[in-house]
């Protein structure tokens, strides 16, 4: 009887996990669409955007300097385009004619890519919660395989961030969790056989 109560708590927790990951997924998708719209608008209205950024720099709301300890209500810091160079002729021309458009398009593209990765990871994590919720217990081979695949995927994503050590740590944690889940599955099989 106590086992059924605990299993119901697990299923309820997993239902909450599915809802939370779905909300984060939707937010990431909407934000990535906003980034794509921004890229399109900046590319289409480059001249007006350049003028808007120049006015922001003149008014002090946008800076091209890295500073510490500055306090303001609203400030944007961008890369100084004079410090950017390229061997590719087309990029060099774009940096000369519309430097801020190029910089903000790159910012938006990188942000969009990160949001897409976040959306994919949230769907994967949500699928783990869904499998655990639908199975009779969390120690089925199907659930364990999905958990391990998701943990490996997240570890790979973390490896390609600036803190690659976290990706390596994530893989070690994945191995440990896999071992623990295998032991739990073995205990579950033994418990089922004794009944």
């Amino acid at each position: 009887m106590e086992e059924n109560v605990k299993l119901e708590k697990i299923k309820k927790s997993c239902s909450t996990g599915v809802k939370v990951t779905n909300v984060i997924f939707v937010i990431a998708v909407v934000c990535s669409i906003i980034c794509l719209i921004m890229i399109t608008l900046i590319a289409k209205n480059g001249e007006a955007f350049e003028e808007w950024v120049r006015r922001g720099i003149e008014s002090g709301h946008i800076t091209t300097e890295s500073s510490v300890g500055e306090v303001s209500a609203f400030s944007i810091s961008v890369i100084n385009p004079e410090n950017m160079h390229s061997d590719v002729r087309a990029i060099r021309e774009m940096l000369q004619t519309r430097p801020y458009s190029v910089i903000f398009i790159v910012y938006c593209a990188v942000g969009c890519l990160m949001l897409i990765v976040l959306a994919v990871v949230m769907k994967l994590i949500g699928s783990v919660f869904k499998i655990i919720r639908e199975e009779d217990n969390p120690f089925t081979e199907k659930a364990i395989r999905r958990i391990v695949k998701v943990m490996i995927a997240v570890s790979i994503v973390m490896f390609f961030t600036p803190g690659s050590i976290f990706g390596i740590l994530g893989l070690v944690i994945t191995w440990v969790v896999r071992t623990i889940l295998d032991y739990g599955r073995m205990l579950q099989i033994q418990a089922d056989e004794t009944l």
Side-chain angles (χ1 to χ4, degrees):
M1 185 66 169
E2 186 179 324
E3 184 179 331
N4 290 336
V5 172
K6 288 184 179 184
L7 187 57
E8 284 306 311
K9 283 183 179 181
I10 290 172
K11 288 184 179 195
K12 188 175 180 181
S13 297
C14 287
S15 291
T16 302
V18 168
K19 290 174 188 171
V20 169
T21 56
N22 282 339
V23 167
I24 295 171
F25 170 79
V26 168
I27 291 169
V29 168
V30 168
C31 290
S32 64
I33 290 170
I34 290 170
C35 283
L36 291 173
I37 291 170
M38 298 267 308
I39 290 169
T40 305
L41 290 174
I42 292 170
K44 183 178 177 187
N45 304 310
E47 302 278 329
F49 183 77
E50 292 290 323
E51 182 58 32
W52 178 79
V53 173
R54 283 192 184 91
R55 282 195 316 263
I57 290 172
E58 290 170 6
S59 68
H61 292 298
I62 300 175
T63 64
T64 57
E65 301 172 5
S66 297
S67 61
V68 177
E70 178 182 313
V71 177
S72 70
F74 182 73
S75 180
I76 301 172
S77 182
V78 297
I79 297 171
N80 187 343
E82 294 173 7
N83 297 335
M84 296 181 66
H85 306 284
S86 175
D87 292 335
V88 179
R89 186 172 159 240
I91 294 174
R92 196 171 49 242
E93 288 175 6
M94 287 296 291
L95 285 171
Q96 290 171 352
T97 58
R98 298 196 299 180
Y100 295 113
S101 296
V102 172
I103 291 168
F104 276 90
I105 286 172
V106 170
Y107 281 169
C108 289
V110 169
C112 184
L113 179 63
M114 290 187 322
L115 288 164
I116 290 170
V117 169
L118 175 64
V120 169
V121 167
M122 286 298 109
K123 268 302 179 191
L124 288 172
I125 292 171
S127 72
V128 168
F129 293 138
K130 188 175 178 185
I131 286 174
I132 292 172
R133 183 183 65 195
E134 293 171 353
E135 295 290 317
D136 290 335
N137 69 67
F139 296 110
T140 62
E141 184 62 34
K142 183 178 179 182
I144 293 171
R145 268 187 280 131
R146 180 61 60 98
I147 290 168
V148 170
K149 285 179 185 177
V150 168
M151 289 181 74
I152 289 171
V154 170
S155 296
I156 290 170
V157 168
M158 288 179 4
F159 184 78
F160 289 107
T161 63
S164 59
I165 189 71
F166 294 114
I168 295 168
L169 182 62
L171 290 173
V172 171
I173 292 170
T174 301
W175 172 69
V176 170
V177 168
R178 169 74 168 146
T179 306
I180 293 168
L181 291 173
D182 271 344
Y183 182 69
R185 185 174 62 85
M186 184 189 70
L187 290 176
Q188 184 67 47
I189 291 169
Q190 288 176 355
D192 290 345
E193 289 174 352
T194 56
L195 295 176

